Amino acid sequence: SSDLCILGQKTPGPKVVVLAVEMDCGGSMPSALCCWNGTVAALRGLLQRRRKTVRVAAIQCSSRMGTTAAVQANAKKMEQLAREAAAGGAKIIVFPEAALTGYTSQAFLHNWHAPGRNLQPRFAGIDPTDVVPSVDSPVVRHLVEVAKELGVYLTIPFVEKASKEEGSAEPTECFYNSVCLASPAGVIAAHYRKTHLWSYVDGSWASRGQAPGYVDTEFGRVGIGICYDIHRLNELYKGTGLWALLYSVAWVGHETDGPVERWFRKDLSETYLGKESLKCYVVAANWSTDREYRWDGAGYSSIYDPDGKRVAFLNEELGDKILFQDLPCS
């Protein structure tokens, strides 16, 4: 009296057929069918263990700042590192905060300074008006084309020059701390502007972004975060169902924070990514310097699982490095 329905479904990878069994046994099940049902469960478990993964790369690198020549040099470095990451199998590549333009000087003594804004006494100011690019500039478009050529998703973090929006109280030109996500299709799939500004550095030039930035990819839904955003990322992306956060960082330590290594190993993991947090993977690419300076904050780029556990990291502060990790797709 049993009705047996067998469905065949091809799956990626090895030649495996998934068999689904539906039956109405009136409360009893022949031993052969019990064995069959167990086989189906085992096959399903095997397929779950072979779940598709994607390789991501957090690129830890230094940048120059202050001139258009520096921007071009940074773009060239980003392209070279992106090519290296893609050759290593990465399909999602994350760069540090403002990697294209520089966030501050490596010595942490120069900062961008837009006309009419306040500059911290520590810094010498550099006017970004004739230096930093817009979203549709040739240097940004070139990196978008690089993403297309390599078949990758590529973050392009930079100090963005933008025109005043209608009804805005901003000057004719304003500047944002931005990330564009270039896609394998050769388009900008997401454009995010930092929403939680660090007044010490951002305050002398940056306008505040107003919205989250995320997009669905073939691997899962990805969102974008920038450094100091960490203090409100839960609020910004609540309910969006992110699979991964692409997190561009230019961390600057404070004496109350302890060593920067501890920040990425413990504080970021436990305080901001653990507990009731975003519950998504986080690919954190932090800036580096070319030599040691008298400030703390460079290095230790890390990748975290949805529970905030650090699953991969770099244990270095100087030079250009690439951190790879394979993540299960959504």
Side-chain angles (χ1 to χ4, degrees):
S1 63
S2 298
D3 295 321
L4 181 64
C5 177
I6 303 177
L7 305 174
Q9 179 181 340
K10 292 183 179 180
T11 61
K15 299 293 185 180
V16 178
V17 177
V18 180
L19 302 176
V21 181
E22 297 178 356
M23 60 196 72
D24 179 9
C25 301
S28 63
M29 182 182 293
S31 59
L33 289 180
C34 288
C35 179
W36 182 264
N37 198 39
T39 302
V40 171
L43 284 170
R44 285 176 176 158
L46 173 64
L47 291 172
Q48 288 175 351
R49 288 193 294 273
R50 296 188 61 85
R51 186 178 176 184
K52 183 180 178 184
T53 62
V54 60
R55 180 160 293 182
V56 300
I59 295 185
Q60 181 171 292
C61 64
S62 62
S63 297
R64 296 166 53 192
M65 73 164 292
T67 65
T68 54
V71 173
Q72 294 298 327
N74 294 337
K76 183 177 181 180
K77 175 189 279 194
M78 290 174 67
E79 178 178 350
Q80 291 171 339
L81 289 168
R83 291 186 182 280
E84 184 178 341
K91 292 298 182 182
I92 299 175
I93 301 171
V94 184
F95 279 96
E97 181 176 11
L100 178 58
T101 56
Y103 185 51
T104 71
S105 64
Q106 290 189 40
F108 203 58
L109 295 175
H110 291 79
N111 187 20
W112 300 109
H113 185 206
R117 303 289 288 267
N118 293 325
L119 181 71
Q120 292 292 331
R122 174 190 181 94
F123 297 116
I126 300 174
D127 188 342
T129 303
D130 296 323
V131 178
V132 302
S134 60
V135 170
D136 58 357
S137 65
V139 68
V140 173
R141 292 305 314 171
H142 175 70
L143 290 173
V144 173
E145 288 301 313
V146 169
K148 180 179 181 180
E149 178 191 342
L150 299 177
V152 300
Y153 289 92
L154 176 71
T155 66
I156 307 172
F158 64 113
V159 175
E160 174 198 349
K161 180 168 65 176
S163 298
K164 172 184 175 181
E165 297 181 4
E166 186 176 352
S168 171
E170 299 289 347
T172 304
E173 289 181 324
C174 54
F175 304 92
Y176 293 95
N177 191 334
S178 299
V179 172
C180 288
L181 179 64
S183 80
V187 299
I188 294 176
H191 176 200
Y192 173 72
R193 291 166 169 169
K194 190 175 184 180
T195 60
H196 193 56
L197 303 178
W198 185 35
S199 60
Y200 192 82
V201 171
D202 299 323
S204 63
W205 56 271
S207 297
R208 188 182 306 278
Q210 300 298 321
Y214 58 92
V215 66
D216 289 323
T217 74
E218 59 268 43
F219 311 115
R221 178 170 290 178
V222 299
I224 301 171
I226 303 175
C227 205
Y228 207 64
D229 279 331
I230 195 65
H231 296 287
R232 67 180 300 263
L233 282 174
N234 289 346
E235 174 189 346
L236 187 66
Y237 286 106
K238 184 178 181 180
T240 58
L242 292 187
W243 162 71
L245 180 77
L246 312 183
Y247 185 39
S248 295
V249 187
W251 193 253
V252 178
H254 188 272
E255 59 184 16
T256 60
D257 295 331
V260 65
E261 183 277 334
R262 192 192 76 179
W263 169 259
F264 283 95
R265 170 177 51 83
K266 178 177 173 60
D267 300 344
L268 179 59
S269 175
E270 295 179 2
T271 304
Y272 294 100
L273 301 181
K275 301 178 181 177
E276 300 301 321
S277 186
L278 291 172
K279 296 298 181 184
C280 69
Y281 292 98
V282 176
V283 184
N286 193 29
W287 63 353
S288 66
T289 55
D290 296 326
R291 64 177 181 85
E292 292 186 1
Y293 289 96
R294 297 173 62 87
W295 63 275
D296 192 34
Y300 305 100
S301 296
S302 301
I303 297 172
Y304 305 85
D305 72 9
D307 293 320
K309 179 182 177 182
R310 190 166 68 158
V311 296
F313 64 96
L314 294 171
N315 196 31
E316 300 179 59
E317 300 178 4
L318 305 180
D320 303 330
K321 302 289 187 297
I322 303 177
L323 175 65
F324 293 100
Q325 180 67 22
D326 293 334
L327 302 181
C329 297
S330 176

